[in-house]
Amino acid sequence: MGSEDRDRLQAVLEALPAGVLLQSPADEVLAVNRKFVEMFELEGRADLSPGASLQPLVPLVRAFFAEGGNGQRSPGEILAGRHVHRVAEIPLADGRLIRREVEPLRHGKTYLGALWIFADITDTKRREHDLERDNLALAELAHQRNAFTAAASHELRTPLTSIVSFGELLADPAFGGLTTEQTSFIDAIRRNGERMQRVISDLLLTTRMRATGPELEFAPVDVPGMLEDAFLDHMRPLEQAGLFTVLDCTPGPALCGDRHRLQQVLGNLLENAVKFTPPGGRVTITAATRGDHWVIEIADTGIGIPEAYREEVFAGFVRAPNARKGGYPGTGLGLAISRTVVELHDGTLTAEAAPEGGAVFRIRLPIAGPATARLTEGQTPAARAHRGPRP
C-alpha cells in the first residue's frame, strides 16, 4: 500500500466516531485510529505501527474488561472467530460499556483481514435504562389513575342517580304543586345531575379505552337514519338554545360500523355545537358519499377553535383558551373519545374553521368499515363482526 493510500485510509479511520483497529490476515496491525488508542490508553504502551503483531496488544486491551465481561477464557481468544461477523457488548472495569463489532474483510473468497470497531455505548445504554424505568413508572401511574378514576366514578354514580330520581319525583304533580321558582330549582338539580352523569360516563369510557380500547360491534348502518336519530335526540336542546338547524343527507350505501358508538360521536359534536353557539346561530349537518367513504360534517356559527388548537382539542382534558375563558362547562373528553371511535373505524375526525365563522367537524368513514371488521360477501344485513360486549 502506497503512502498516499495509507494516508487516505488513516483519514477515513480518524473520521469514524468509534475506536477502530484494522487487522491483517496474519494477525498484524494494519492501522488504528486515535479514538482506539485513547479508549484503551495505549499511547506509548504498545507498538501500533503497520505490521506490528497483535498478540502483545491483546492483554493490554483485555486489562480494561470487567471480570468475566468478555465471555472468553483467555486473552488470546479475543482474536478467535475473526472470519465471521461478531457483535458483543463488553463492560469495562471503569464502568463504561463497549460495543465491539468484528467485520471480516474479503475479496471474493480471499480473506483480507478484519475490521474491529469499539464504540462507547455507556450513555446510550444509560438513557435506554432511564427511559425503560420512566416508562414503567408512567405505566404504573396510569394504572393507578385509571383505577382511581373508575372507583371514584362508580362511587359518584349511585348518589347522583338518587339526586336525579328524587328531583323527578319532586316535579311530579302527584306530590303536590310547585311554585315557578321551585320548579326552576328542580330543573336546575335535574339538569346539573344529568350533566354530572354524562361526565362520569365519559370518565369511565375513557378509562376503559385506555386500558383495553372500546369494544365495537360492527353491522350495516343506515347513515341517513342514524343522522336523523341523532338530530331528533338533540332537537330539544337545539331549540332551547335558540339555534336554527339544517340537516342535509344524500342517500347512499350502508356503512359497516358500530351505530351505537357512531351516534355517540354525533351526539358529542352536536352537544358542542349547542354549547358554543350563541342564540340565533346556525348548526348545519351534512352527509354524502365521496368515493368509497361517507363524509359527515357538523358546522356551527359559534366561537370557533383557534387554529393552534384544532389538533390539540382531540387530546383528553384539553380545551381551547376561548372555551376556558368563556366559562363554558366541559372536561375536554368528548372530542378525544369521538376521535378514538372514528379511528377504530379506520376513519378520520378533524376540525376546521367554518366559512361563516365557528367550527366545522368533518368525519370520514370507509363505507366497507375497518379492515379488521369487513363484512364478507354473502353476509346478511344482520350479520356482525363481533368484538365483545358493549361497555
Side-chain angles (χ1 to χ4, degrees), residues 167-178 183 186 190:
E168 292 175 349
L169 286 173
L170 288 172
D172 192 333
F175 289 88
L178 298 175
T183 299
I186 296 299
R190 185 174 61 248

Side-chain angles (χ1 to χ4, degrees), residues 275-286:
K275 185 191 305 182
F276 297 116
T277 305
R282 176 192 296 264
V283 176
T284 305
I285 309 164
T286 60

Side-chain angles (χ1 to χ4, degrees), residues 3 11 25 88 103 125 127 135 145 162 167 180 196 208 326 328 341:
S3 61
E103 188 66 48
K125 282 294 182 180
R127 286 193 292 269
N135 284 340
R145 177 201 60 200
S162 298
T180 302
M196 285 300 298
R208 186 177 293 111
Y328 299 97
V341 170

